[in-house]
Amino acid sequence: HSQVTLCQLCSNDVVGHHTGMTYVKSGEGREFKWKSDHAFLKVSAKDSGGLLSMVEDNVSVDFLLPLHKHATHAETFFIVDGLVEIIIDGTTVMAGKGDTIHVPPNTPHAVRCIKPAKMLTLLQPGGLEDLFAAYQQMRAEDFEDPEKIRAVDLKHDNIVL
């Protein structure tokens, strides 16, 4: 009997499946640029068949993500350099170079930059980058309307607490 090799991504028969790969050089990727975060999408949900997304965040000391949670997404932060304060379900963690923090779905968390930092953020399942794209489509006056922001957040599994 013949041996079947399964794809490690989705357990499908590998023959003719997942023939592409993703290679993104340093400082490249779909760019999201805000005042306190210069981010690059390294692996998109489309690249991974929906399994994950990976973002490189380069954050300044002005960076602050308010307390929020994601109903269906987990986030894993790997601190490449710098120092960030992450509050996870009421526990404060000071995370520095080489540290990893995993936040399961439905877990309240907030992130604040203490020392300029580079983080790799793994989002599971993929797709949370659609929230970043939606933010980029908004006009300045849209950010002054809490209901507009809330509608965009909720559409993309970002529940601000």
Side-chain angles (χ1 to χ4, degrees):
H1 86 46
S2 67
Q3 182 177 359
V4 176
T5 304
L6 298 180
C7 173
Q8 292 180 346
L9 291 175
C10 63
S11 298
N12 285 334
D13 186 337
V14 172
V15 178
H17 191 70
H18 285 297
T19 57
M21 64 166 255
T22 301
Y23 172 62
V24 183
K25 290 185 175 184
S26 178
E28 294 183 3
R30 183 174 178 189
E31 185 174 29
F32 299 100
K33 193 168 186 176
W34 295 281
K35 179 183 169 198
S36 60
D37 184 6
H38 190 183
F40 297 94
L41 180 63
K42 297 298 189 175
V43 179
S44 70
K46 183 178 177 183
D47 295 332
S48 70
L51 294 174
L52 61 91
S53 300
M54 187 171 69
V55 177
E56 173 191 321
D57 287 291
N58 298 279
V59 295
S60 70
V61 293
D62 298 330
F63 181 77
L64 172 66
L65 282 179
L67 190 65
H68 66 288
K69 67 180 183 176
H70 310 285
T72 60
H73 287 86
E75 283 183 285
T76 303
F77 302 94
F78 175 77
I79 313 306
V80 176
D81 201 14
L83 184 66
V84 295
E85 174 187 77
I86 302 180
I87 300 171
I88 306 163
D89 206 15
T91 300
T92 300
V93 175
M94 297 300 283
K97 184 176 182 174
D99 292 344
T100 302
I101 302 94
H102 178 73
V103 182
N106 271 319
T107 304
H109 59 286
V111 182
R112 180 171 66 105
C113 183
I114 305 301
K115 180 180 165 190
K118 178 184 280 193
M119 304 184 294
L120 292 178
T121 305
L122 185 66
L123 308 153
Q124 297 171 290
L128 208 54
E129 67 267 20
D130 294 342
L131 173 65
F132 310 148
Y135 284 157
Q136 282 199 322
Q137 297 297 318
M138 294 172 69
R139 301 175 309 224
E141 58 267 22
D142 293 337
F143 286 99
E144 295 176 23
D145 183 343
E147 288 308 310
K148 280 189 180 181
I149 294 171
R150 181 171 162 72
V152 169
D153 282 343
L154 291 177
K155 180 179 179 183
H156 298 285
D157 191 30
N158 193 52
I159 304 153
V160 178
L161 304 172

